[in-house]
Amino acid sequence: MKITKFIPIIFSVISLSCTSERNVDELDNEPIQLLSKIPAPSENIEDLFSLVDVIALKSGPETILSFTRVLENNFGIFVLDRSSTRLSLFSKTGEFIRDFGKMGGGPGEFVSAYDFFISGNAVFIFSPGDLALFSYEIETGAFLKKVQLMAFAQRIELVSENEFLVYVSNNPTDSNFNVYRFDLEGNMLGEYFPFDPKRSNAIVPYSGFLARGNDGVYYCDPFGYQVFRYNQDTQDFDLIYELDFVSDYLKLDREIFFEDNTRSQVRPEDRVRFGGSLFLKNENYLFLNMTYDAKVQTASIDLRKGLTSRIFSLRADNGFFRFVGNPRLLNAKDEVVFIIDPEKFQSYQTENNPTSVQRILNAVAIDEDKDLVYLVRMKVLE
């Protein structure tokens, strides 16, 4: 497939001459309905999680400004910071090991670091400023090679040892797609989910996702209600879930979300409810967030018990979730990981905290000079 032109909008995206392998509407899978009933948010953290440990990531040569993405595996803890253009590796106990590449124009240097993935013993960083993938040896940090990648990737997920999916959220023309498949040499192999200009026309960071679960890579478009999983055998997507809480009003036209912001009255049955950008899944649980009746809420769905769900709301009057925010990781041990920056961690030292928050604060000795961030690991309770 050949790239025919390149169009910049808010960010750079691609325009392709190829047609979709299969239209979303042609999928005939019977999806599993999620969250047909949404319970009231849990107020007591003790009903949801129990504390496992708190790990302080220690500073390296430079300060990390933000935590765009965190990944844990046998090598350690990888932290991507878009703001300072850094991908860093820490040990499982939080000690700094190394950075991969750096900002610049020389060999192994990039303009920006937007996302990354790991294949074998190499880590791959996507730089939109270079429109390229940069690969490095994990154990030494040695630069391996640079490969041009003609796509503005907002998210990248590996689907095999040599292939990955690229998520481009909402392109500006109807000749573009939201998901592409590439090999490690930068060759475009497939394209999925054609952009619909009637339903949305802007990049939406807080809705829609491309995310890895325990059994594959999942996709949902912004303000969408269908969740698909990539099928390596067919090299296509299967419809797996439908988000049953999304309003019928929004299913017809996503642009109504923006119109609703200017309307003084909306009928209760037309309230805009939509899925968010969080999707975490292991064998037993699925976590996703959503906007439901003007509140940001997160659902924990038990996949073993008839899809029963528990809800927690990121509200100002809930001290624990105001402190930890949304979970960032879900591992095979049914543990979720929250990320807390040092400023927030230290500010809570003087507050009248809930027991659950104080337990986290007591679990680590704060080092104001070296601590970059705290990873709070908590067990999901049945």
Side-chain angles (χ1 to χ4, degrees):
M1 297 180 180
K2 182 179 179 182
I3 296 175
T4 58
K5 60 181 178 178
F6 180 79
I7 302 176
I9 50 168
I10 299 175
F11 298 106
S12 299
V13 295
I14 57 177
S15 178
L16 302 167
S17 61
C18 309
T19 59
S20 174
E21 296 181 2
R22 186 166 63 170
N23 191 287
V24 174
D25 294 335
E26 296 173 356
L27 295 174
D28 55 4
N29 304 64
E30 288 295 330
I32 299 170
Q33 301 296 315
L34 294 180
L35 297 172
S36 298
K37 295 181 179 180
I38 297 182
S42 298
E43 296 291 340
N44 187 357
I45 179 60
E46 313 299 338
D47 296 337
L48 296 171
F49 310 108
S50 64
L51 180 65
V52 176
D53 58 25
V54 181
I55 300 173
L57 300 188
K58 302 297 181 180
S59 61
E62 300 177 25
T63 300
I64 291 180
L65 302 177
S66 65
F67 298 85
T68 308
R69 190 172 187 181
V70 177
L71 184 151
E72 283 188 278
N73 60 18
N74 293 333
F75 292 105
I77 303 170
F78 295 79
V79 175
L80 174 67
D81 176 10
R82 289 180 188 169
S83 297
S84 60
T85 313
R86 264 181 85 188
L87 177 63
S88 304
L89 173 61
F90 298 84
S91 72
K92 293 184 178 181
T93 58
E95 300 301 322
F96 174 80
I97 298 177
R98 67 177 55 88
D99 288 332
F100 297 95
K102 64 178 181 179
M103 185 184 297
E109 298 177 347
F110 39 74
V111 175
S112 54
Y114 206 82
D115 203 359
F116 74 99
F117 63 88
I118 293 170
S119 179
N121 294 318
V123 59
F124 294 76
I125 299 174
F126 172 65
S127 169
D130 300 280
L131 279 179
L133 277 178
F134 294 77
S135 58
Y136 306 85
E137 190 176 81
I138 292 177
E139 295 183 349
T140 65
F143 172 59
L144 297 175
K145 64 179 179 179
K146 172 185 176 181
V147 173
Q148 293 302 132
L149 183 67
M150 295 300 292
F152 183 83
Q154 292 171 265
R155 184 79 173 199
I156 297 181
E157 292 290 353
L158 196 71
V159 292
S160 72
E161 290 185 0
N162 299 306
E163 295 181 5
F164 58 93
L165 296 174
V166 169
Y167 175 32
V168 181
S169 172
N170 290 348
N171 292 314
T173 73
D174 57 7
S175 62
N176 287 337
F177 295 80
N178 284 334
V179 178
Y180 299 92
R181 179 165 53 92
F182 288 87
D183 64 21
L184 295 183
E185 299 302 317
N187 300 307
M188 205 272 285
L189 306 176
E191 49 194 6
Y192 312 89
F193 305 100
F195 169 71
D196 183 354
K198 295 180 180 179
R199 288 177 57 79
S200 190
N201 58 8
I203 291 175
V204 182
Y206 48 84
S207 180
F209 55 79
L210 183 73
R212 172 165 293 283
N214 64 301
D215 55 353
V217 175
Y218 288 81
Y219 169 79
C220 180
D221 60 357
F223 300 115
Y225 65 98
Q226 295 179 314
V227 180
F228 302 84
R229 183 176 63 205
Y230 181 73
N231 187 323
Q232 183 63 37
D233 294 332
T234 63
Q235 296 182 339
D236 207 341
F237 281 81
D238 299 327
L239 179 59
I240 304 298
Y241 301 116
E242 282 191 345
L243 308 179
D244 207 35
F245 61 88
V246 174
S247 67
D248 292 336
Y249 195 40
L250 187 60
K251 290 176 183 177
L252 295 174
D253 186 356
R254 278 176 288 185
E255 289 300 319
I256 208 69
F257 169 72
F258 300 102
E259 294 179 18
D260 276 341
N261 287 339
T262 62
R263 293 171 61 184
S264 59
Q265 293 182 346
V266 180
R267 296 180 303 168
E269 62 268 28
D270 289 339
R271 287 179 179 173
V272 175
R273 301 166 173 173
F274 56 87
S277 58
L278 174 72
F279 185 91
L280 306 173
K281 182 182 180 297
N282 67 7
E283 185 177 355
N284 297 325
Y285 294 98
L286 190 160
F287 282 76
L288 57 85
N289 67 351
M290 56 188 168
T291 296
Y292 185 81
D293 288 353
K295 297 177 182 177
V296 177
Q297 303 189 22
T298 300
S300 168
I301 301 172
D302 194 325
L303 301 175
R304 304 161 300 174
K305 298 180 179 180
L307 301 178
T308 56
S309 61
R310 291 178 292 181
I311 304 294
F312 51 95
S313 181
L314 308 184
R315 297 178 299 170
D317 59 349
N318 190 314
F320 176 79
F321 292 112
R322 186 173 68 246
F323 181 52
V324 301
N326 263 320
R328 301 293 190 95
L329 299 173
L330 172 65
N331 63 27
K333 298 178 181 179
D334 297 337
E335 297 170 347
V336 291
V337 175
F338 300 91
I339 297 177
I340 306 175
D341 63 72
E343 290 78 12
K344 180 182 286 187
F345 209 94
Q346 292 163 19
S347 68
Y348 273 69
Q349 292 292 320
T350 58
E351 292 191 6
N352 183 19
N353 298 310
T355 302
S356 54
V357 172
Q358 196 58 47
R359 189 176 294 126
I360 294 173
L361 296 173
N362 295 339
V364 63
I366 295 176
D367 186 336
E368 296 184 5
D369 295 326
K370 293 186 177 181
D371 292 353
L372 289 173
V373 71
Y374 302 97
L375 303 187
V376 178
R377 198 187 319 272
M378 305 193 80
K379 178 81 171 182
V380 182
L381 298 177
E382 295 186 9

